[in-house]
């Protein structure tokens, strides 16, 4: 195991201090290889805040209750607030490497909100970056050397760390939104072009590398309808147009929009429009007269 740490005033005690907006209390890194397990258990938490950045491997965290377990992989950051249960383990078999920092101050809550750390989140996908590790190492060194104005330097370095975390969180959010918009646009176009074919929502989602539940949930957020509701809507709306503008029989129209069973088509049409296809066509003819 490799350990490197630094503590403010060389004290291992956690503390709460509101004399300044932001105060770094300690910082360090652990790197496990052959060690079987490194556990931490603080049932009443700590007085200060703690950030744990998983640089490699995995962390096993138990949020709220000891029996809960959340496995947090590399590229994520865990945030503990004061007095929260802290129970987590690192395993040598996972070859885990983590960086951690404890901090306090009069304006911590506002700073965390400012830099995008939502109050009800514990785990933040900040990605992997050597810049994070470089900042952590600088903070450790400042705590160890205690040069002039080092406490102010510690606050500046932690602020810098929060800012680069925020940038990555914002970038990930934008990328996810771009991906979501692109996929939903593609799905809408695909369903518009193939609405009269036998479409399996499960097969479509799988072909795009998405889980069915995720796709249905996000498609509904995007369009206001589930994928199947969207397809049925396209079929019925196009059937309505054909009833108004052509002399095709009801059976022919049903097949054109994707239904082999005329009776089933008529039931769906009535459910959507309030009239059967024949009643709808009759109303249109009477309106023209």
């Amino acid at each position: 195991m490799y350990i490197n740490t630094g503590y403010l005033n060389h004290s291992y005690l956690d503390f709460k201090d509101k004399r300044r907006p932001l105060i770094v209390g300690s910082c360090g890194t652990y790197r496990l290889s052959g060690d079987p397990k490194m556990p931490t258990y603080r049932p009443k938490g700590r007085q200060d805040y703690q950030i744990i950045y998983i640089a490699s491997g995995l962390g096993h965290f138990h949020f709220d209750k000891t029996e809960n377990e959340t496995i947090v992989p590399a590229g994520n950051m865990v945030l503990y607030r004061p007095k929260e249960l802290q129970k987590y383990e690192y395993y040598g078999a996972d070859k885990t490497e983590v960086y951690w920092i404890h901090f306090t101050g009069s304006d911590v809550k506002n700073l965390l909100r400012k830099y995008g750390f939502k109050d009800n989140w514990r785990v933040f996908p900040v990605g992997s970056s050597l810049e994070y590790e470089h900042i952590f190492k600088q903070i450790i060194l400042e705590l160890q050397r205690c040069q002039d104005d080092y406490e102010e330097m510690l606050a500046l370095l932690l602020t810098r760390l929060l800012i680069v975390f925020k940038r990555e969180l914002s970038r990930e959010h934008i990328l996810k939104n771009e991906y979501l918009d692109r996929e939903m646009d593609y799905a809408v176009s695909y369903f518009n072009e193939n609405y009269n074919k036998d479409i399996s929502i499960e097969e479509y989602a799988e072909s795009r590398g998405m889980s069915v539940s995720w796709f249905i949930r996000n498609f509904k957020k995007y369009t206001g309808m589930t994928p199947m509701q969207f397809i049925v809507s396209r079929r019925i709306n196009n059937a309505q147009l054909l009833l108004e503008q052509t002399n095709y029989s009801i059976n022919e129209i049903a097949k054109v929009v994707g239904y082999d069973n005329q009776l089933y088509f008529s039931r769906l049409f009535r459910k959507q429009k309030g009239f059967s296809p024949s009643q709808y066509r009759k109303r249109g003819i009477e309106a023209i007269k």
Side-chain angles (χ1 to χ4, degrees), residues 37-55:
K37 181 179 180 181
M38 185 176 184
T40 296
Y41 181 45
R42 303 182 183 111
K44 295 183 179 180
R46 289 176 53 114
Q47 297 184 66
D48 55 12
Y49 290 78
Q50 180 182 17
I51 281 175
I52 300 174
Y53 168 63
I54 314 296

Side-chain angles (χ1 to χ4, degrees), residues 249-265:
S249 69
I250 305 299
N251 188 47
E252 287 173 328
I253 291 174
K255 290 182 177 179
V256 167
V257 299
Y259 294 107
D260 291 329
N261 187 318
Q262 179 185 332
L263 181 59
Y264 180 69
F265 162 70

